[in-house]
């Protein structure tokens, strides 16, 4: 490994007044995917996460629970560590702000800031939000916090102040000269507007409570939690240590390359944090990247709504990789994204079970069957066709495009790019029909079969290598089935076409992504309800302060004071909106299409609607050839009572227009790409 290439990435440290939920998992697994990829690219990678454990809110929460602050923090921090271990997160360290190494580093930086002339003592009277551990601009008693809306408390106390006002011009100059420092662009503009509005000196100590790091030389004060917490990025890699190896580590890894945060804490990380570092004479991180909120049915998470979703629920039912793939593929990074169990299962079945899982299973099973489990030798002459070259060229293009998109933090588009290759190879196999070729005699047919299966297997290998940082467990299994050993040791910099060893022995071929039926959604919903009901009713179940906040929420359910009025009766052959909403229309993709014996107009279809595959019988045989429908997206009525046609049960109805005097059916479709299982409204 080239020791000249280092990469240091951090998550925000998570505040221990909240049990970990899927929002925390999102931030952490994004960083984990980046770290895994960097390691595969040869970088000396250090990945940090941890917990923020000081502050007035923790002190009060612990007292309410009948515990000491340390006991309280120990319990919740252990929940985060346990979740990340279960998620197989590859962090190099887990920092806690209650550790002695952290306290030493905080006091060291405080001394440096004071010695450099940027700290002075003064008095403060104003409004303070305990929930967000934040002073606010308003001087009106009882003013609402602009972040969380809670009522603030009036605080009057002696404080140490940091001369933040001295850094406005320096920060603006740095933002202009380093546009990559704040990402995305919208957050950069937001921060610059805030700084241009003027900066006031910042209170950086408290003296009305004791749960925090004592100010060096003045122990009646503790360091303000937001200064304390931010310094974890330094103390975890040795800042403030007298140990030579720790000092060497700090010199090696600081500054951080990427600091990943939720958008709600951008001011702390992009205004206060760089000002502290400038005042201490330390270099600034390469990029602070603010992602959006993870929402549940379009609303923020709330304990009172009872809609906190735990990562463990998804892991228990579908596994780690299902959660990882959904969050990175479904959510456009940097924007708010939506989570639901229904969408999760649809994406899992469509992309993982049907696409990647199906490609791996059918390709490796045929190699096992037709070539005794050895990678076949492709022909470059008589048995080589243009279709093979097309797959090769697309694979080479995908390597480059995926790399560019992923390294630009466009995870959803990168995965979409990789899946275009999966789709192309699945279509290639349908068109080339290796199972038919295998039945034909002669060396030319044998060579053709070898070429088809090698082409499919090599494309599978390339997708597997690219997707490994996102799907570490399942791609590891596919890599082993390809007979290639430990995937994490593969040098991703060398990835190119034709690296699959000819004659190599496959491993045991087993399904990687078993399909999830609709009961998976019900099981996850039930598990969430049971976990919510059994969770202790302590402040530790409330939502997190901004240092850890990645919001996840569901729309509240309200009980009306009075029963709603009945919808007006339909008149003039018109139906009410309530009647229309009873019809469930879903997008599906045709997996199987064949003519029904003895019926000229009927086709038997198998349509994947995300949560299950439905058999339908449709009267469209005169308008569509069966093979032309394979892979086509259609609209079906999904909640019709089953009925039998020619002895076949039809579970739904396909939607089509009736065109011309003869009523020719024309299937409904879309100009844009619509995911399988999407509902029409």
């Amino acid at each position: 490994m080239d020791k000249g290439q280092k990469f240091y990435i951090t998550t925000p440290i998570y505040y221990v007044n909240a049990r970990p939920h899927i929002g925390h998992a999102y931030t952490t697994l994004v960083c984990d995917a980046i770290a895994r990829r960097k390691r595969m690219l040869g970088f000396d990678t250090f990945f940090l996460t941890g917990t923020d454990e000081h502050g007035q809110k923790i002190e009060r929460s612990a007292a309410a629970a009948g515990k000491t602050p340390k006991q309280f923090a120990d319990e919740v921090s252990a929940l985060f560590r346990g979740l990340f271990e279960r998620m197989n997160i590859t962090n190099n360290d887990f920092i806690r702000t209650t550790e002695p190494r952290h306290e030493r580093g905080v006091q060291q930086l405080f001394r440096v800031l004071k010695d450099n002339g940027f700290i002075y003592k003064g008095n403060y009277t104003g409004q303070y939000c305990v929930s967000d551990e934040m002073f606010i601009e308003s001087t009106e008693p009882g003013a609402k916090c602009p972040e969380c809306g809670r009522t603030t408390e009036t605080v009057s106390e002696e404080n140490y102040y940091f001369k933040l006002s001295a850094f406005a011009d320096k920060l603006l100059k740095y933002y202009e000269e380093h546009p990559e420092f704040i990402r995305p662009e919208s957050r950069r503009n937001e921060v610059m507007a805030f700084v241009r509005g003027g900066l006031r000196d910042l209170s950086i100590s408290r003296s009305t409570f004791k749960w925090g790091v004592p100010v060096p030389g003045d122990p009646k004060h503790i360091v303000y939690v937001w200064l304390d917490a931010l310094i974890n990025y330094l103390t975890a890699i040795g800042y403030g240590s007298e140990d030579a190896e720790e000092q060497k580590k700090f010199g090696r890894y600081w500054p951080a390359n990427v600091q990943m945060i939720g958008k709600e804490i951008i001011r702390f990380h992009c205004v206060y944090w760089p000002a502290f570092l400038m005042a201490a004479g330390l270099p600034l991180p390469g990029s602070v990247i603010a992602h959006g909120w993870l929402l549940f049915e379009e609303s923020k998470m709330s304990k009172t709504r009872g809609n906190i979703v735990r990562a463990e629920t998804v892991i228990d039912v579908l596994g780690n990789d299902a959660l990882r793939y959904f969050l990175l593929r479904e959510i456009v990074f940097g924007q708010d994204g939506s989570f639901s169990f229904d969408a999760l299962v649809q994406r899992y079945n469509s992309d993982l079970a049907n696409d990647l899982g199906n490609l791996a299973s059918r390709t490796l099973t045929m190699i096992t069957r037709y070539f005794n489990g050895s990678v076949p030798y492709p022909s470059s002459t008589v048995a080589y066709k243009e279709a093979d070259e097309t797959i090769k060229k697309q694979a080479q293009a995908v390597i480059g495009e995926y790399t560019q998109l992923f390294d630009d933090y466009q995870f959803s588009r990168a995965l979409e790019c990789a899946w275009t290759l999966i789709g192309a190879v699945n279509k290639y196999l349908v068109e080339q029909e290796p199972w038919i070729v295998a039945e034909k005699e002669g060396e030319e047919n044998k060579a053709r079969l070898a070429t088809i299966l090698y082409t499919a297997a090599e494309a599978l290998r390339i997708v597997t290598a690219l997707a490994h940082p996102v799907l570490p467990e399942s791609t590891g299994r596919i890599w082993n089935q390809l007979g290639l050993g430990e995937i994490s040791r593969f040098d991703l910099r060398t990835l190119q076409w034709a690296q699959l060893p000819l004659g190599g022995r496959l491993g045991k071929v087993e399904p990687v992504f078993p399909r999830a039926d609709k009961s998976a959604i019900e099981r996850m919903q039930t598990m969430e309800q049971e976990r919510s009901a059994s969770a202790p009713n302590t402040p530790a179940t409330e939502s997190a302060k901004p240092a850890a906040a990645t919001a996840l929420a569901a729309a509240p359910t309200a009980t009306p004071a009075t029963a709603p009025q009945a919808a007006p009766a339909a008149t003039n052959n018109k139906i009410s909106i309530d009647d229309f909403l009873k019809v469930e229309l879903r997008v599906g993709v045709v997996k199987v299409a064949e003519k029904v014996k003895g019926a000229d107009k009927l086709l038997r279809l198998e349509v994947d609607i995300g949560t299950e595959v439905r058999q339908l019988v449709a009267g469209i045989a005169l308008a569509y050839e069966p093979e032309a429908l394979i892979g086509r997206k259609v609209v079906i009525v999904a909640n019709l009572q089953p009925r039998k046609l020619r002895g076949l049960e039809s579970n739904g109805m396909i939607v089509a227009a009736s065109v011309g005097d003869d009523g020719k059916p024309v299937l409904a479709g879309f100009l844009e790409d619509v995911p399988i299982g999407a509902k029409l409204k």
Side-chain angles (χ1 to χ4, degrees):
M1 179 181 292
D2 180 1
K3 293 297 286 184
Q5 287 187 308
K6 69 91 183 174
F7 184 80
Y8 179 27
I9 185 170
T10 69
T11 71
I13 53 171
Y14 303 109
Y15 204 47
V16 295
N17 73 309
R19 299 174 185 278
H21 56 69
I22 206 168
H24 304 111
Y26 176 57
T27 315
T28 310
L29 70 84
V30 167
C31 291
D32 184 65
I34 295 170
R36 286 175 182 271
R37 179 172 170 83
K38 288 294 182 181
R39 294 187 187 108
M40 290 181 75
L41 290 169
F43 285 80
D44 174 16
T45 301
F46 196 95
F47 169 24
L48 175 68
T49 189
T51 46
D52 176 6
E53 304 178 16
H54 287 139
Q56 189 173 14
K57 187 168 187 177
I58 300 303
E59 189 175 72
R60 290 184 180 181
S61 296
K67 300 172 182 176
T68 68
K70 185 65 165 62
Q71 289 172 330
F72 190 92
D74 285 347
E75 290 179 10
V76 183
S77 180
L79 295 177
F80 278 93
R81 189 189 291 268
L83 173 61
F84 296 162
E85 288 176 353
R86 184 166 184 208
M87 291 172 62
N88 197 21
I89 299 297
T90 59
N91 54 295
N92 297 85
D93 200 351
F94 186 99
I95 184 75
R96 297 182 60 189
T97 57
T98 50
E99 294 180 59
R101 59 170 173 162
H102 178 72
E103 290 200 9
R104 284 195 302 269
V106 170
Q107 292 179 329
Q108 171 67 13
L109 189 69
F110 194 98
R111 282 190 291 264
V112 170
L113 296 177
K114 189 175 182 182
D115 291 345
N116 289 352
F118 292 106
I119 291 179
Y120 63 92
K121 186 180 283 189
N123 289 288
Y124 174 83
T125 299
Q127 298 308 115
Y128 186 77
C129 176
V130 175
S131 178
D132 290 330
E133 301 282 9
M134 184 175 74
F135 296 98
I136 71 167
E137 298 289 336
S138 176
T139 58
E140 293 294 325
K144 300 295 184 182
C145 172
E147 295 293 331
C148 69
R150 292 180 175 88
T151 300
T152 58
E153 298 181 8
T154 301
V155 173
S156 182
E157 62 182 350
E158 181 184 73
N159 290 141
Y160 283 93
Y161 281 83
F162 173 74
K163 294 181 181 179
L164 183 63
S165 58
F167 289 89
D169 291 341
K170 294 177 183 177
L171 287 170
L172 288 170
K173 184 173 184 289
Y174 192 86
Y175 302 151
E176 293 286 356
E177 294 176 350
H178 300 84
E180 75 287 352
F181 176 64
I182 305 173
R183 300 181 64 169
E185 182 73 15
S186 60
R187 303 300 166 205
R188 179 171 176 268
N189 294 337
E190 174 188 325
V191 169
M192 292 181 73
F194 175 79
V195 176
R196 288 192 185 108
L199 297 178
R200 299 198 306 175
D201 289 353
L202 181 69
S203 173
I204 56 168
S205 76
R206 300 295 308 278
S207 57
T208 55
F209 63 95
K210 295 299 181 184
W211 184 238
V213 177
V215 168
D218 196 352
K220 74 175 183 178
H221 287 265
I222 62 166
V223 177
Y224 173 45
V225 66
W226 270 111
L227 174 57
D228 167 5
L230 289 164
I231 300 172
N232 88 91
Y233 306 126
L234 306 178
T235 58
I237 53 172
Y239 182 84
S241 175
E242 296 181 355
D243 182 81
E245 287 300 314
E246 287 296 295
Q247 293 173 356
K248 183 179 178 182
K249 182 165 70 172
F250 180 75
R252 169 69 179 155
Y253 291 110
W254 190 258
N257 297 82
V258 170
Q259 299 209 256
M260 192 72 65
I261 61 170
K263 65 180 182 180
E264 69 282 355
I265 53 175
I266 195 164
R267 184 187 307 174
F268 300 96
H269 283 79
C270 295
V271 180
Y272 304 161
W273 180 226
F276 295 151
L277 293 170
M278 287 177 175
L282 292 170
L284 274 59
S287 290
V288 178
I289 302 175
H291 63 72
W293 283 338
L294 181 59
L295 308 175
F296 189 66
E297 306 210 353
E298 309 306 327
S299 303
K300 263 185 100 172
M301 178 175 58
S302 163
K303 177 192 173 185
T304 57
R305 293 173 183 168
N307 53 16
I308 296 173
V309 178
R310 296 159 181 80
E312 298 96 313
T313 298
V314 178
I315 295 169
D316 285 345
V317 177
L318 295 177
N320 267 321
D321 281 3
L323 177 63
R324 293 172 69 100
Y325 181 81
F326 177 83
L327 293 178
L328 270 74
R329 174 64 180 88
E330 189 81 7
I331 297 168
V332 177
F333 186 73
Q335 300 179 18
D336 292 349
S338 181
F339 176 89
S340 72
F341 293 127
D342 189 61
L344 169 70
V345 170
Q346 289 176 27
R347 180 67 73 177
Y348 171 86
N349 280 334
S350 171
D351 292 15
L352 299 181
N354 290 350
D355 292 344
L356 178 57
N358 184 42
L359 175 61
S361 178
R362 72 199 305 195
T363 300
L364 301 181
T365 297
M366 283 190 285
I367 292 176
T368 299
R369 180 182 302 161
Y370 301 132
F371 293 93
N372 296 318
S374 295
V375 176
Y377 288 69
S379 169
S380 59
T381 55
V382 65
Y384 196 75
K385 295 187 177 181
E386 184 177 347
D388 313 326
E389 184 68 18
T390 298
I391 295 296
K392 173 183 175 181
K393 288 180 178 178
Q394 183 168 348
Q396 291 170 327
V398 162
I399 293 171
E401 186 178 354
Y402 184 96
T403 297
Q404 182 177 356
L405 290 169
F406 197 101
D407 291 348
D408 195 37
Y409 309 105
Q410 298 185 61
F411 309 116
S412 180
R413 288 186 60 196
L415 290 167
E416 182 181 15
C417 169
W419 256 248
T420 62
L421 179 58
I422 295 174
V425 179
N426 276 325
K427 182 180 179 183
Y428 165 84
L429 288 173
V430 170
E431 292 174 344
Q432 300 305 311
E433 300 181 318
W435 47 88
I436 300 298
V437 176
E439 295 176 356
K440 298 178 180 179
E441 300 291 337
E443 289 301 315
E444 183 175 331
N445 288 318
K446 189 74 172 178
R448 179 65 197 144
L449 179 62
T451 301
I452 295 170
L453 295 182
Y454 181 87
T455 299
E458 175 61 354
L460 172 65
R461 183 190 68 87
I462 286 173
V463 169
T464 302
L466 291 174
H468 176 65
V470 177
L471 299 167
E473 296 174 9
S474 51
T475 54
R477 292 169 61 192
I478 294 172
W479 201 256
N480 281 326
Q481 291 181 33
L482 283 164
L484 299 175
E486 176 54 54
I487 189 171
S488 63
R489 297 176 183 171
F490 177 72
D491 187 346
L492 203 54
R493 294 170 294 185
T494 68
L495 184 63
Q496 59 184 344
W497 185 262
Q499 291 176 320
L500 184 62
L502 300 176
R505 295 290 301 173
L506 300 185
K508 184 179 179 181
V509 179
E510 296 177 324
V512 178
F513 297 109
R515 283 189 59 83
D517 58 30
K518 60 184 178 182
S519 70
I521 298 173
E522 297 166 358
R523 279 184 286 150
M524 287 187 285
Q525 291 171 336
T526 300
M527 291 170 71
E528 274 302 306
Q529 292 168 359
E530 291 174 348
R531 282 173 167 152
S532 296
S534 64
N537 187 23
T538 71
T541 60
E542 295 177 359
S543 58
K545 96 172 173 77
T550 303
L552 166 71
T557 55
T559 302
T562 59
Q565 294 182 346
T571 59
N572 300 325
N573 294 322
K574 294 182 179 180
I575 64 172
S576 71
I577 186 65
D578 292 336
D579 289 331
F580 174 75
L581 291 176
K582 293 176 182 177
V583 180
E584 183 181 339
L585 299 173
R586 283 189 178 269
V587 177
V589 63
V590 178
K591 311 301 288 186
V592 173
E594 60 186 17
K595 292 185 177 181
V596 176
K597 291 182 179 180
D600 294 338
K601 296 182 179 180
L602 298 181
L603 292 181
R604 187 188 76 85
L605 308 176
E606 291 182 17
V607 180
D608 183 358
I609 60 170
T611 56
E612 60 181 307
V613 175
R614 294 278 190 91
Q615 175 175 276
L616 279 75
V617 180
I620 58 174
L622 298 180
Y624 295 93
E625 291 296 326
E627 56 270 18
L629 292 172
I630 304 298
R632 177 164 179 161
K633 288 184 178 177
V634 294
V635 177
I636 75 164
V637 182
N639 60 340
L640 284 178
Q641 290 287 348
R643 62 172 181 161
K644 284 195 174 183
L645 295 170
R646 293 292 179 121
L648 297 172
E649 186 173 81
S650 182
N651 287 287
M653 177 187 293
I654 198 164
V655 177
S658 181
V659 178
D661 295 337
D662 58 353
K664 177 184 177 182
V666 177
L667 295 176
F670 302 91
L671 295 176
E672 294 85 0
D673 185 24
V674 180
I676 298 170
K679 294 181 180 179
L680 277 68
K681 298 180 180 179

